[in-house]
Structure formats: structure tokens, C-alpha cells
Amino acid sequence: MSLTTGSAQRSLHVLTPSSDTSLVARHAGGKGRNLHTLTASGFPVPTWSILGLDVFREFCRDSGLDEQLARLLADGWETEAEQVAEEIARLIETAPLGARVADAIALAHREAGGGTVAVRSSGAEEDGERHSFAGQFDSFLGVRGLDAVTDRVRRCWASAFSARSLLYRAQRGLPPGTGGVAVVVQRMVAAERSGVLFTADPTTGRTDRHVVSAVFGLGEGLVSGAVDADTVVLDAATGQTLSTIVGDKQERYDAGSASGCEVSPVADEDRAALSLTDDDLARLHEAGVRITEHYGAPQDIEWAIADGTLWILQSRPVTALAPAAGPEPEPEGELRIWDNSNIIESFSGVVSPLTYTFAADTYAKVYESYARALGVRGEQLREVREWTPHLVGHIHGRVYYNLFHWYRMVRLAPLYPLNRRVLEKSLGVAESISDELADTLHPFTPRPGLRGRLSRLRRTLVFARRFFTIGKSVETFHRDFYRAYAVFNNVDYDALPGDETYRRFRKLQRELIEKWGPMQALDATILLSVGLLALLTRRWLPDAPEWFTWAAAAPGGAVESAEPAWALRELAGRARADAQILDLLERTTDDAAYQALSDAGHTGFLAAVDAYIADYGYRSPDELKLEVPDLYENPAGLFTLLRDALPETGETNAQDRGGEADAYLDAHLRGPRRFVYERVRAKARAALTDRERLRFCRTRAFGAAKRMLRALGRDLARAGALDAWDDVFLLRLDEIKGAYEGMIVHTELRDLVAVRRRQQAADRELHAPSRFTTRGAPYWSGNLERAGWTSGPAARSGARELRGTPCCPGVAEGPAVVTDTPRDIGGGILITYRTDPGWVAALPSAAALVIERGSPLTHVAVVARELGIPTVVQVKGATTEIRGGSRLRVDGAAGTVTVLAVPLDDDATAYDDATVDDDAKTGAEATTGAEATTGADAAAGADAAATGDTEPTEGAAAADDAPPTAEDTPRTETHP
């Protein structure tokens, strides 16, 4: 039904959501028809009413405007369109309203709620399939009171005869008569954010994209072009964000105290952030999909968000759509998946060509050796050698797993369905590959029939023997490693001829690195035992807290990786006990501290410093990046860590996490199940303890190689092949080999260095995705452009609570220190994209630890549990969403990070660089073994392997942050 005014013979229509569709079709105009359709379809539309087309017709008839409009719009009006439009507007705004028309306007205002409303034109031909009339008619926001509504209704009628509207009709061959003008009166919502959603890209015609524009407040600033809006492009199918442009948004429009809009400035913090949250974008994408499906064509949708509700204000077809080019065809060629999950732990940002090629060469040698250790021989081994050199790739300076080859590696061992599920969860990759695809990935061509079954049985038996004797194998390897390491490390390579240093480097590769292959059975042991432990926990202890599995698997006894942290804490205690040393360290720069201590005669303390460097000099941030100096070369790095450890941040929270697990098990698991659980647990704890020992071996092996390669750089510089010794890091390992083996001309090296230096500078400006796919040659056919390699920082969504994987229980409150280097923590909450083992020494200075990547079994996470520091890992968006200096609450048991307060002024830049360095967000781990770490979803991985279900998981660092102020002293409590 519709509401009417006047006599039954000549009623005027005021349409509402309950009006008959036939009446709406005849009287509501284009915009009104769409509002009725949206409301009837269940979309959230603010309350509205419509003055029907017949109201305008009666107004014209009763006031005598019909004849005057016909005269003014006679042939030849085009030559004086502006004057004609102005005269028509004057006539409409001054003509008398009849009683019935005035009553209709009053009724429409009441039906829309009677408060502040928007008054919008709804032309008879508006929002049609052929002509949208977008921007041709007037709309008025924030209209208060009946008199103001009546005035705006008159102006809406007049806008149908504006010069722009008349010329729009003429250009499209339409007659100047309007066919009538309806007027929408709609309740205003106090919009916090408003904008437009196109469900196709209007500039390209692509229907696989949604384009969102958004501003703070009302959409008037966006529509008028006065406000530089945010723009987000979404994938039409998935809603995934493809690109983001953060507009300046310097002003916002809101309903004023009188009719109209008030303009106010937007706070600098809000201007710099994206106005839409991830939840906002998800709801917009869902609404866009539903509305497009309903209309069967791409839509131009106006929307607003108020009090958590997404309101749809209007929708019209996108009539000016560019010819659809369609999605770009996928290039032909081999499919590859590139993923930096987990490998990020040891490398961040742009990695030098020398570091990458040394890492790739190490991977190739280790995993070929692993295959041989499992009994792979002959043609099968030759096939393995085809992919082991390509386990990692170097894309715009960042190192990525070439993921399919890692599935092939996992398949060398038995129980592939279980192992590959647990591998995916442990690496924290964003999504699992399909079973069908996984089944096609083999390390070599499978042998058919009995011969193939016997080959698999032989490898299974060899693997089983190594699995059950891995502890003894680690002891033997450990002993042999340190025997050889002592020989390689106690040499002054700068005193040797370059070719002799090169010869010893090749020997180190043979005797320290290539022999690492059999130790990959340890990583397989961790995958199996921790995955099974998580599975048993989920099945037998379904109510156990999420951190429990990691406490149960925590290595027993002292963890070798934690030794630098304890040693640094002891060194800091010695400094605090001597007022002179403390004063000297506090007023001397890191670079000058060693010499200052020597000049002041503090020989005893210097002896302790020297002892620390002798024991842990290779354990430093980015320790596997050859271009980064270690503590042997640059002791200043130790004083950076020591200075941060000097403040007494309270008693350590370290607890016996294994004891907590024992207590829980005593209360909840007994009998045969407890016996089985303890056997698996013992295997996992022993394997993790051994892993930490081998990680120190890896650190020292890379440290020795780093010394040799640096000596080779100095030798090449002395020979004139390089301008500076550290140019060696811009060479590839095979080029250094070529220089000493007579395979490359020395004069080529300078040109190579110059080219790579320019490329490296360009690479640093790019934002690197954590996972992407390519076909064929990765750098060609638009592969990387489609993958999202872009420049510029990521935008904040404004989220106030982030969730990740619980790692170590405990609650801490304090200021956020968002950083990509472990320094100036000062008792704050350490927020970082990734860590590496070199961060361990800085952990005692942190009240809590939040890591965007990683897993509960990465080195730093293991040590954080040992030290009792509340820790949450795999916190998506942590370094983007959290500003340095924000006050946080971290709950390590629940896996939550809550923003309690953000910095109020520009001083926040002391904590958080305005420029996000995406180099901190990508990297690689050049290891002598695959990272056998399991994320919080390892149990899910084991369950998925058992049940066939899969559930993918999700897994910028700012510049160095200033230490927190006194009033920001963190509070920490630990609990089981």
C-alpha cells in the first residue's frame, strides 16, 4: 500500500517500504525504485519515504508551471541553457504550494522519522540500465525541520532542469522534458565512515575486482571531491585486499546543528591510517556480492557505517563501465609457490647475493646428503640433484622457499601424508595445497611394482633406524663437529694468501656442511613427535589450555640457546655492582665502550666481555647474513645489548614449564594413556634439546664461513678486482669461485657490483608478499605484478585487539616497542615481524614478546618460555597495526594482544617510524637443516592427516623505538 493525501479521486502518493511494487514502479523514480528493492530484499536501508512523481506533476499543474516549462524548453534552448535553467529554478522555488502538495511533503517527513533527514532527487529515468543520471540531480544532507525539507524538495525538483541535467539529456538524444521528478526523504544516520563501492572496476571494466572509496563522516566530501578518499581494491571472488591507497582525508563532513553539513579537520593519526577495518571491508565485499547477484549486473553502491551497522544508502547500475578486458590469462609454464614462512626467522629484508647463493648451495649439499643417508642411489639420486639446488629462490632480494621442492623433500621419508600436513602447520604457511596436487610431488620418479615397494621399504627401515637412534647420532655429530670447527676457527685468514683461504673454505663446505645431511632426521623426528604429542593432547586432553602442548614439549634441563641470555644478565649484574663501570657505560657510546673500559683499567670486566664474545660472538642479530658483522668483528653490538640489560626490570619470570605440564598431567591423565603420552613427550623434549645444540653448531659453522668470505673480499680488493672489500657481498658464490678457479675475468666483478647495487636499492623500496605463485620464469609474464609486489607502506586498519598463537602463559602490560632490531627495549613489550637466534640475549629486557611470524618452536620462542616471558606468535598484522609507544596488554595464555591506549600526539614518532620498512617483513633462513618447527596448529595438522580434513592457518617493522618513560613501567604476572 501507499500513503495518500487529498481526495480518493485525485490522491497524491507518498511511498514507503510497504507500498505496492506496482505503485513504486509508476511513481518512485529510479532511485526510489532501487531503495524499495533493496529494502524488500532485506538489506539494511535507513528509513525512507518518497514523494511520488504525481506530487511534482500536481505542483506544476496547480501553479501554472506546465505552460512556462513548455515555453522555456522549446526548440533552441540549448544556446542559452544556463539562462533557461536559472529561470526554471526561480519559478519552481517561488511558485505557491497547494495544500495537498504541502500535506504530502509533511507526511513524507513524518514517515522518514521526522528528525534530521537527507532529501534526494529521484528522476523518472534515473539509475536506469542505459542512463544513470549520476551526479545530475541534487541531494541535500542534514536537513532539519519541515520548512527546510520543503525548501530542499523544491530545489530537488529544480535540479532536474539544471543546465548540466538538460545538457546530459541532449547529449543522449533524450527530450528536455523530465518525465517527472520524485523526491526521497530518508533518515540521516550519524555516519562514522561513508563511501562508494563499485562491484566492477569502472576504469578497466574488470568484473573480478571491487573498488571501495571511503572517508570519515558523511560521504559529501567524497562525492564533491573535496576530500582525498581512501581507495581499496578487493578480489571480487574472495574479498582479499589487492591494493590499498591511503588518502589524505584532511577533512570530514558531518550533519550540522542547523540544516546542512559542518566541516571539521581530521586528526593526523586518523589521516595516516586506513579508515576501514578488515571487518568493514569483509562486510562491504559481502554486501557487494549480494547486491550484484540480486540485480544481475555490477553496481555503484553508496554506503555508510554508524554504530557498527553497515547501511546501504542507494545502489545503481555501473553504466559507464569501460569495456571489460577480462582477467589477464595465466601465463604458461611450471607452477611454483613461493613462501617465506618460518625461513624468515633467520633472515630479514633484502639479502645480499653472496648470502643467498651460500644459503642455496648449503641447502643443496645438505639435502642431497640427506637423500643419500636414506639410501637413495643411482638414477633416483640424480633426479634429487635436479631440485635440491632450487629449494630457495631469490626474488627482489628476498629469499623464499620454493615450496613444492620441500614437499618433495618431506616425501623422502615415510608417512608422507602425515609429514606434509605437519610440515605445513609447522611452517605456518598460509594455505595447504590440495591432496591431488600433493600426490603429484615426488622426489624422483616412483618405481612401479615389486621393485618400487622394496625401494620404499628399504628407505623406511633406514629412516626408522635413524629415528630411534637420533640421540646417539647427534652426540657423534656434535663431537666430530667441534673437533673440525676448532681447526677452522683458530686461523687468521687475513694472514693467508687468498687462494689458500679459498681452499680452506671449500674444505669447510665438505667437512662441516655436507656432513649435516643425516642430521635432517632430527628435524623429521621433531615433526613426528611434536605433531603426535599435539594430536594426543587434543584427543586425550581436549580442555587443556592452548599453551600446554608447548610447555609439555619444552626441552628438559638447561637449553643451550638460552645461555647467551643468562650470560648477558650476569654481565649486566657485574656492571651494576660497580658504580664506575655503570657510569662509564651509561655515558659512553657503544663504539667507544670497549676502549674506554680498557683505558679506565677495568681489566676484570673486560675479561668477562672477552669471555662472552669468545663463547657467543657468532650469536648476534641476523647472524646468518654474511653481510652483517658479528660480535667478533664489532663488539659494539654487545654493548648495545648490555646497555639495554642494565636497568633492573624486576625478578625473572622463569618457571619450570615442564613442571607446570607435569602438574596438569597428574591431574588429568593417568594409566596407559599417561604412559604412552610420556613416551612421546620424552622423544619430543629430547629432540628439541638436541635441535638447540645443533643450532649453535650451525651458528658457528656460518660464523667460520663468514670470516673466510670476508677475508676473500679483502684479498680481491687488494688485487684490484673490487673497489672495496665489502663489495664481495654483491657477488654470487659461484663468481667468487670463478675468480679463484680461473672461470671469470677479475675486471668483470666491478661491473657486476655496480649493477647489483642499483638493483638492491630498487628492491628495498618494494613491499614483498609473504606468499605468491608464479608460472614459467618468475620475473616475466607479469608474475610478480599479479603477486602484489608494490611500493609504499601498509595501512593500519585500526584494530584494537589482535590474536595469535599462545606460546608462553602470563599477562604483561606496558608500552609497545615496535622494532626490527633487538635494542632499546627498556622493559617494554617487544613487537617484531620476525626474530632470529641472535635476539636471545635481549629477551630479559622485554616484559612480553609479540612476533608476527614464527611458531611456538622457533628458537626465540623456546628461550622465551625458558625465561618465563609472556609470548604470542603468529600475530597477523602486529607490526602494522600497533604503534610504538601504545600501551598494550599481552595475554600469553589466551594469545591476545590488546591496545589499551595509543600515543596522543606526534611525539609517538619517537617510538614508531612513520615510514614502515618492509625489509623487516621478508627474509630467508639459510640453514644447514630445514626448520622443523611446529606452529600452534600442529595438532590440527596431525588431526587433518588422521581425518583427511585441512584447515589453513594464517601467520613492518618500525625503526628503533625509544625506551618507555617511567610512568610506563610494565606490569607482568605469570600464571599456568
Side-chain angles (χ1 to χ4, degrees):
M1 62 170 287
S2 66
L3 303 172
T4 60
T5 62
S7 67
Q9 289 78 16
R10 274 180 53 201
S11 60
L12 299 180
H13 291 90
V14 176
L15 305 165
T16 68
S18 60
S19 297
D20 294 336
T21 302
S22 59
L23 292 175
V24 171
R26 289 200 303 272
H27 297 289
K31 189 181 279 105
R33 286 192 297 270
N34 282 336
L35 280 178
H36 187 269
T37 299
L38 289 168
T39 306
S41 302
F43 293 100
V45 180
T47 305
W48 54 267
S49 62
I50 301 170
L51 288 166
L53 295 169
D54 57 335
V55 178
F56 177 66
R57 284 195 294 267
E58 175 152 328
F59 167 67
C60 291
R61 183 171 55 250
D62 290 352
S63 64
L65 280 176
D66 280 344
E67 295 80 6
Q68 297 181 70
L69 289 176
R71 176 179 56 82
L72 289 167
L73 295 175
D75 290 346
W77 67 265
E78 296 93 337
T79 60
E80 47 186 15
E82 289 289 346
Q83 295 89 327
V84 168
E86 289 176 5
E87 177 63 15
I88 292 175
R90 186 189 65 79
L91 291 170
I92 291 175
E93 291 173 12
T94 59
L97 288 179
R100 290 174 7 108
V101 172
D103 289 346
I105 294 174
L107 178 58
H109 185 220
R110 290 196 301 273
E111 288 300 314
T116 304
V117 295
V119 181
R120 304 173 185 271
S121 307
S122 180
E125 300 158 306
E126 187 179 1
D127 292 349
E129 293 183 1
R130 295 185 59 199
H131 308 296
S132 71
F133 283 84
Q136 303 306 311
F137 302 145
D138 285 345
S139 294
F140 302 93
L141 305 180
V143 183
R144 299 174 184 268
L146 181 58
D147 289 344
V149 170
T150 302
D151 175 72
R152 301 315 190 273
V153 168
R154 286 178 180 269
R155 291 164 66 177
C156 283
W157 287 337
S159 71
F161 300 93
S162 67
R164 67 176 184 273
S165 296
L166 291 173
L167 292 172
Y168 180 93
R169 298 179 65 83
Q171 290 166 359
R172 287 157 178 77
L174 300 173
T178 66
V181 182
V183 178
V184 175
V185 182
Q186 189 172 29
R187 178 178 69 85
M188 283 284 295
V189 295
E192 298 143 13
R193 300 177 295 284
S194 303
V196 178
L197 164 64
F198 288 94
T199 62
D201 189 330
T203 61
T204 65
R206 293 184 64 167
T207 56
D208 59 344
R209 299 285 187 268
H210 286 184
V211 181
V212 183
S213 293
V215 296
F216 291 112
L218 301 176
E220 177 65 18
L222 170 63
V223 174
S224 67
V227 177
D228 182 16
D230 296 333
T231 302
V232 181
V233 179
L234 306 175
D235 185 286
T238 66
Q240 178 184 0
T241 298
L242 301 178
S243 68
T244 300
I245 298 175
V246 178
D248 192 38
K249 305 184 298 295
Q250 71 275 21
E251 297 174 335
R252 63 178 290 156
Y253 286 65
D254 296 284
S257 55
S259 290
C261 295
E262 291 182 349
V263 182
S264 59
V266 175
D268 289 346
E269 177 183 346
D270 292 333
R271 289 173 62 183
L274 186 66
S275 56
L276 298 172
T277 66
D278 288 344
D279 181 60
D280 293 336
L281 290 170
R283 288 189 292 164
L284 282 166
H285 173 256
E286 180 185 8
V289 170
R290 289 178 57 209
I291 293 173
T292 300
E293 288 177 350
H294 181 80
Y295 284 104
Q299 295 291 297
D300 169 358
I301 302 164
E302 292 185 23
W303 55 268
I305 296 174
D307 295 327
T309 299
L310 171 63
W311 297 98
I312 304 301
L313 306 181
Q314 62 173 308
S315 182
R316 64 170 67 92
V318 185
T319 56
L321 200 62
E328 296 182 26
E330 281 281 334
E332 297 181 355
E334 180 183 354
L335 173 66
R336 295 179 176 89
I337 298 178
W338 306 95
D339 197 299
N340 73 353
S341 300
N342 190 11
I343 202 170
I344 197 79
E345 189 193 0
S346 288
F347 291 115
S348 67
V350 173
V351 175
S352 73
L354 182 56
T355 292
Y356 163 70
T357 50
F358 179 63
D361 185 70
T362 297
Y363 274 120
K365 288 177 166 59
V366 165
Y367 284 102
E368 180 189 336
S369 175
Y370 176 50
R372 283 189 275 107
L374 293 181
V376 178
R377 298 288 187 273
E379 181 59 31
Q380 291 182 334
L381 184 61
R382 283 189 287 274
E383 289 189 48
V384 168
R385 288 172 179 155
E386 292 178 4
W387 53 263
T388 50
H390 313 297
L391 282 160
V392 290
H394 199 213
I395 311 294
H396 282 306
R398 282 79 168 183
V399 181
Y400 288 86
Y401 287 135
N402 191 344
L403 207 53
F404 285 167
H405 293 331
W406 291 90
Y407 289 108
R408 293 184 172 98
M409 182 276 296
V410 167
R411 204 164 193 166
L412 286 168
L415 302 176
Y416 173 63
L418 174 63
N419 280 342
R420 70 120 172 153
R421 299 283 192 198
V422 178
L423 177 73
E424 290 170 342
K425 301 300 181 181
S426 68
L427 294 182
V429 296
E431 57 187 283
S432 173
I433 65 172
S434 68
D435 291 341
E436 294 76 14
L437 179 56
D439 287 343
T440 66
L441 302 174
H442 295 270
F444 40 74
T445 303
R447 290 174 176 169
L450 178 61
R451 187 181 180 191
R453 289 193 293 273
L454 289 175
S455 176
R456 289 192 295 273
L457 177 61
R458 182 170 60 253
R459 289 202 313 278
T460 300
L461 293 175
V462 171
F463 177 82
R465 178 174 60 82
R466 292 191 176 278
F467 180 87
F468 289 111
T469 61
I470 190 65
K472 182 178 180 181
S473 298
V474 169
E475 289 296 334
T476 301
F477 175 86
H478 201 259
R479 182 187 65 245
D480 293 345
F481 171 86
Y482 278 104
R483 184 182 297 125
Y485 170 76
V487 174
F488 287 112
N489 197 52
N490 293 321
V491 176
D492 180 2
Y493 291 104
D494 286 319
L496 296 179
D499 59 343
E500 175 62 18
T501 299
Y502 171 75
R503 186 186 66 78
R504 296 197 185 200
F505 171 76
R506 299 290 287 175
K507 186 177 180 182
L508 177 141
Q509 289 184 297
R510 292 192 305 272
E511 296 191 6
L512 286 189
I513 294 177
E514 293 180 25
K515 293 182 179 179
W516 222 289
M519 290 299 98
Q520 299 324 295
L522 176 62
D523 285 336
T525 299
I526 293 172
L527 282 175
L528 286 173
S529 57
V530 175
L532 182 56
L533 189 70
L535 175 61
L536 294 179
T537 300
R538 187 165 293 187
R539 298 286 174 83
W540 293 347
L541 299 166
D543 297 324
E546 195 168 354
W547 56 264
F548 171 78
T549 299
W550 318 121
V559 178
E560 190 169 358
S561 288
E563 290 178 5
W566 296 119
L568 186 68
R569 179 174 284 177
E570 181 179 344
L571 196 60
R574 290 189 60 168
R576 284 194 298 269
D578 189 317
Q580 291 183 348
I581 293 177
L582 187 62
D583 177 68
L584 186 149
L585 291 175
E586 288 178 345
R587 60 182 172 81
T588 308
T589 64
D590 296 338
D591 290 337
Y594 192 97
Q595 187 60 48
L597 287 167
S598 177
D599 293 344
H602 296 294
T603 55
F605 187 76
L606 275 181
V609 169
D610 291 338
Y612 182 98
I613 293 174
D615 290 338
Y616 311 115
Y618 289 140
R619 175 125 295 180
S620 55
D622 286 321
E623 61 189 22
L624 301 187
K625 293 176 74 171
L626 301 175
E627 60 269 28
V628 177
D630 52 39
L631 298 183
Y632 283 108
E633 184 175 353
N634 182 24
L638 172 58
F639 291 101
T640 301
L641 297 171
L642 181 59
R643 192 185 312 281
D644 209 39
L646 288 176
E648 295 190 74
T649 56
E651 293 299 317
T652 175
N653 300 319
Q655 300 180 22
D656 180 6
R657 298 297 176 194
E660 292 177 357
D662 288 338
Y664 189 90
L665 287 168
D666 290 341
H668 297 89
L669 194 66
R670 297 182 178 85
R673 287 186 173 184
R674 176 66 180 271
F675 176 82
V676 172
Y677 193 94
E678 290 293 355
R679 300 287 76 72
V680 176
R681 180 188 177 196
K683 189 69 174 177
R685 299 182 77 181
L688 285 168
T689 300
D690 285 339
R691 187 195 70 165
E692 296 307 306
R693 297 172 67 195
L694 290 190
R695 290 302 179 250
F696 250 132
C697 292
R698 180 193 64 184
T699 296
R700 287 168 171 139
F702 268 68
K706 182 183 292 190
R707 288 182 58 214
M708 294 180 180
L709 290 168
R710 285 168 174 258
L712 292 177
R714 283 185 275 269
D715 181 65
L716 291 171
R718 285 193 299 269
L722 298 175
D723 291 328
W725 74 267
D726 53 358
D727 286 349
V728 72
F729 303 121
L730 293 171
L731 299 179
R732 297 171 59 89
L733 186 62
D734 57 288
E735 290 162 352
I736 294 176
K737 176 182 177 181
Y740 287 98
E741 299 281 7
M743 301 163 61
I744 191 170
V745 180
H746 278 38
T747 54
E748 296 179 26
L749 300 184
R750 281 196 182 89
D751 293 337
L752 290 172
V753 166
V755 168
R756 289 184 184 143
R757 180 173 285 111
R758 290 194 299 270
Q759 183 61 50
Q760 196 173 74
D763 289 342
R764 291 187 189 280
E765 299 301 315
L766 295 176
H767 166 74
S770 58
R771 179 185 175 106
F772 60 97
T773 61
T774 61
R775 281 193 176 273
Y779 278 89
W780 279 268
S781 304
N783 273 310
L784 301 185
E785 290 78 5
R786 281 189 300 273
W789 285 85
T790 58
S791 58
R796 293 185 173 102
S797 71
R800 304 287 290 197
E801 181 174 275
L802 304 177
R803 292 185 174 272
T805 300
C807 185
C808 180
V811 176
E813 289 187 13
V817 182
V818 186
T819 183
D820 57 5
T821 56
R823 58 181 297 173
D824 297 329
I825 301 168
I829 293 175
L830 179 56
I831 313 291
T832 186
Y833 187 76
R834 35 68 70 188
T835 60
D836 65 55
W839 289 52
V840 164
L843 292 184
S845 301
L849 178 63
V850 177
I851 309 174
E852 188 163 333
R853 301 288 277 174
S855 84
L857 290 181
T858 53
H859 317 303
V860 170
V862 169
V863 175
R865 276 195 298 275
E866 179 78 8
L867 299 176
I869 299 171
T871 301
V872 185
V873 300
Q874 295 173 334
V875 184
K876 186 177 181 181
T879 55
T880 300
E881 299 293 345
I882 298 174
R883 292 184 60 186
S886 300
R887 189 163 187 84
L888 307 179
R889 176 182 173 87
V890 176
D891 189 331
T896 58
V897 182
T898 305
V899 180
L900 303 176
V902 296
L904 298 179
D905 52 37
D906 290 339
D907 290 343
T909 55
Y911 295 90
D912 186 16
D913 233 2
T915 303
V916 178
D917 179 10
D918 280 303
D919 285 347
K921 300 185 72 172
T922 59
E925 180 163 7
T927 67
T928 52
E931 286 305 318
T933 60
T934 57
D937 290 314
D943 278 338
T947 64
D949 295 333
T950 59
E951 188 93 23
T953 61
E954 292 184 320
D960 303 338
D961 288 35
T965 56
E967 60 268 27
D968 284 328
T969 302
R971 296 187 290 107
T972 305
E973 56 180 293
T974 59
H975 57 76

